[in-house]
Amino acid sequence: MAPHLAAQPIINSQYLQSAVGLTKPQAERALKTLARVGALTARNSAKRNVVWEHRGILDVLDAYAAGLRRQ
């Protein structure tokens, strides 16, 4: 799943279902596991259709973009 997070650092259950081929329960379980170990954080507080982000990858992308603006 790591390559998918690197390519798409903001995901939801539907993304995992279509990109990885997981069932809805499998996708929900994977997201909760990744959140529990600190790899993902929720971007919204919805009970359904939670959007998750990988802050580490987003921080790297933000730093890269800032470097481009300075040049």
Side-chain angles (χ1 to χ4, degrees):
M1 189 167 327
H4 293 286
L5 283 175
Q8 184 70 34
I10 299 174
I11 62 174
N12 60 15
S13 175
Q14 292 83 6
Y15 172 78
L16 287 182
Q17 291 172 60
S18 64
V20 183
L22 299 178
T23 65
K24 183 173 176 86
Q26 290 171 326
E28 295 289 335
R29 197 167 37 252
L31 291 167
K32 288 178 183 174
T33 299
L34 289 168
R36 189 172 50 250
V37 299
L40 295 177
T41 55
R43 286 184 64 116
N44 59 358
S45 59
K47 289 196 179 230
R48 294 180 184 206
N49 301 321
V50 178
V51 176
W52 301 88
E53 68 181 14
H54 188 290
R55 195 65 247 164
I57 293 171
L58 291 172
D59 289 344
V60 169
L61 293 173
D62 288 345
Y64 177 72
L68 290 175
R69 285 191 295 269
R70 285 192 295 264
Q71 293 180 5

